[in-house]
Amino acid sequence: FDNMAAEWRPPYPIQYAPLFKIPPNLVHIAKWMFGYPGYLWPWNVVYVLITVYTFYYTTPAISDCKEISLNWVLPIFLRNQVLIWIFAGGWHALLYIFKLQGEEKKYDPKWQATNNPKFMFNDQVYDNVFWSCVSGVPIWTGYEVFMLNYWANNPNSGYLITSWSENPVYCAAWLLLIPIWREFHFYWIHRMIHIKPLYKTIHYLHHKNFNPGPWSGLAMHPVEHLLYFSVVLIHFVVPSHPIHFFFNSQHTALTPAGGHHGFEGPILNDNLPTGSYFHYLHHRYFECNYGEATIPLDKLFGTFRDGQKVGSELQGKEHS
């Protein structure tokens, strides 16, 4: 924490989305839902469009997935590698290679660590890329393969919606709720792996990145990847179209890059909303902000920090 005083922080406190505020304010909720930037625009719309494209143009027909075969598994794996390189690699290129934002609104003025033995290859970026691509993408792919194979062999499952037109209102509502479900799942998985034995054997790897970058988002221990991507198992018990499942899995895989890149948005001449100071504070101080800024679970359980205080009162005992 030697450069704590040099860190940049927003001049305003972190605030939760209005969705769960009491009493509810419907005008504020509507602005948050449909405004720009907001819940839908731009990023969730982007992720939905990517999901639709990749499902219809790069995913094998469910009927072809009855037997596990590299003929259809390998293309999914390669597709997911391409996606992670577009998002994590894209943010890294913009902000850390070409440095189009410079140091403006960068939370920690330091860049990614090099010549540091705590990271594999003595390099933070190489370490993060390794864990993201060698562990994260295979496990993400594994969940998708497992679900496609299950659907192929259980075509009459009551939990598979084969046509959006069967119940368009339900399908649209469930699609809107998936990022909220993701946040709820993430909070509880995250709290669990902060239990000391799990932290010291699993989650420590992710927390080596106290100054995270885009590739840090999926830089996790394989067991953490298994837990993190288990968010998609809900589609075994909640009726879902494959679009719901792939939106959930791709949202889980791709959003961490934008939430870990270390800059406060909007960036690039204030044109692009992005970043998460909420989650940066968790990396910096360890024992706060386990969730995100939609569901006020941290506020409910007394672990919310709004970023207006810095120093030892936020610093975790085990984070170094």
Side-chain angles (χ1 to χ4, degrees):
F1 298 100
D2 57 333
N3 62 333
M4 186 182 297
E7 289 185 1
W8 184 91
R9 57 189 173 119
Y12 42 81
I14 297 169
Q15 295 189 17
Y16 277 99
L19 186 61
F20 294 100
K21 287 186 177 180
I22 299 176
N25 185 313
L26 296 181
V27 173
H28 290 172
I29 292 173
K31 287 182 178 179
W32 168 77
M33 177 69 72
F34 301 108
Y36 184 97
Y39 181 70
L40 291 177
W41 302 95
W43 289 110
N44 279 331
V45 170
V46 169
Y47 294 124
V48 167
L49 292 175
I50 290 171
T51 298
V52 171
Y53 178 84
T54 56
F55 174 66
Y56 285 109
Y57 294 100
T58 70
T59 302
I62 292 174
S63 59
D64 294 337
C65 302
K66 290 183 178 181
E67 302 291 336
I68 301 296
S69 167
L70 282 178
N71 289 335
W72 64 271
V73 171
L74 185 59
I76 295 174
F77 172 74
L78 294 176
R79 177 201 60 202
N80 291 345
Q81 288 285 5
V82 169
L83 286 173
I84 202 68
W85 276 93
I86 288 173
F87 278 85
W91 283 120
H92 183 77
L94 287 173
L95 298 173
Y96 287 85
I97 296 177
F98 301 116
K99 298 184 179 180
L100 297 185
Q101 182 71 9
E103 294 183 3
E104 184 181 359
K105 296 195 288 187
K106 187 178 188 302
Y107 304 133
D108 189 323
K110 290 184 177 179
W111 298 95
Q112 304 292 269
T114 57
N115 299 316
N116 188 328
K118 78 175 182 179
F119 293 106
M120 189 179 296
F121 316 113
N122 295 326
D123 187 286
Q124 183 178 359
V125 175
Y126 294 166
D127 173 284
N128 290 178
V129 171
F130 175 87
W131 290 112
S132 297
C133 296
V134 176
S135 174
V137 173
I139 290 172
W140 164 26
T141 302
Y143 274 109
E144 294 185 343
V145 168
F146 179 63
M147 184 60 88
L148 286 168
N149 179 253
Y150 173 79
W151 280 335
N153 288 288
N154 298 274
N156 297 318
S157 168
Y159 299 108
L160 174 60
I161 298 174
T162 57
S163 173
W164 197 274
S165 61
E166 291 177 21
N167 197 331
V169 174
Y170 169 83
C171 287
W174 182 208
L175 193 71
L176 285 173
L177 286 172
I178 282 173
I180 296 173
W181 157 246
R182 272 208 58 240
E183 186 172 320
F184 180 81
H185 174 274
F186 173 71
Y187 176 86
W188 291 109
I189 292 294
H190 198 184
R191 286 304 301 261
M192 182 181 73
I193 58 179
H194 268 264
I195 297 170
K196 185 173 290 188
L198 295 178
Y199 178 84
K200 288 185 175 295
T201 56
I202 298 169
H203 194 46
Y204 79 94
L205 193 152
H206 185 67
H207 266 284
K208 290 193 295 184
N209 300 286
F210 68 84
N211 176 22
W215 282 104
S216 304
L218 272 192
M220 304 174 188
H221 189 282
V223 174
E224 183 171 353
H225 282 131
L226 284 169
L227 295 169
Y228 178 66
F229 282 104
S230 70
V231 66
V232 301
L233 296 179
I234 195 172
H235 301 289
F236 278 104
V237 295
V238 175
S240 302
H241 187 276
I243 290 292
H244 296 117
F245 171 79
F246 283 102
F247 178 55
N248 196 352
S249 68
Q250 292 181 7
H251 199 278
T252 302
L254 303 180
T255 56
H260 284 79
H261 58 46
F263 287 79
E264 179 75 0
I267 61 171
L268 305 181
N269 297 318
D270 292 334
N271 290 316
L272 186 61
T274 183
S276 175
Y277 191 55
F278 189 109
H279 192 67
Y280 172 79
L281 288 175
H282 176 75
H283 274 264
R284 200 68 173 98
Y285 301 112
F286 180 78
E287 293 177 332
C288 66
N289 296 7
Y290 294 95
E292 261 296 345
T294 303
I295 310 174
L297 291 169
D298 281 292
K299 182 173 285 188
L300 179 64
F301 293 106
T303 55
F304 172 59
R305 301 293 181 267
D306 66 4
Q308 294 305 289
K309 295 180 180 180
V310 297
S312 59
E313 62 194 285
L314 291 181
Q315 184 173 334
K317 296 177 183 177
E318 301 173 53
H319 187 95
S320 60

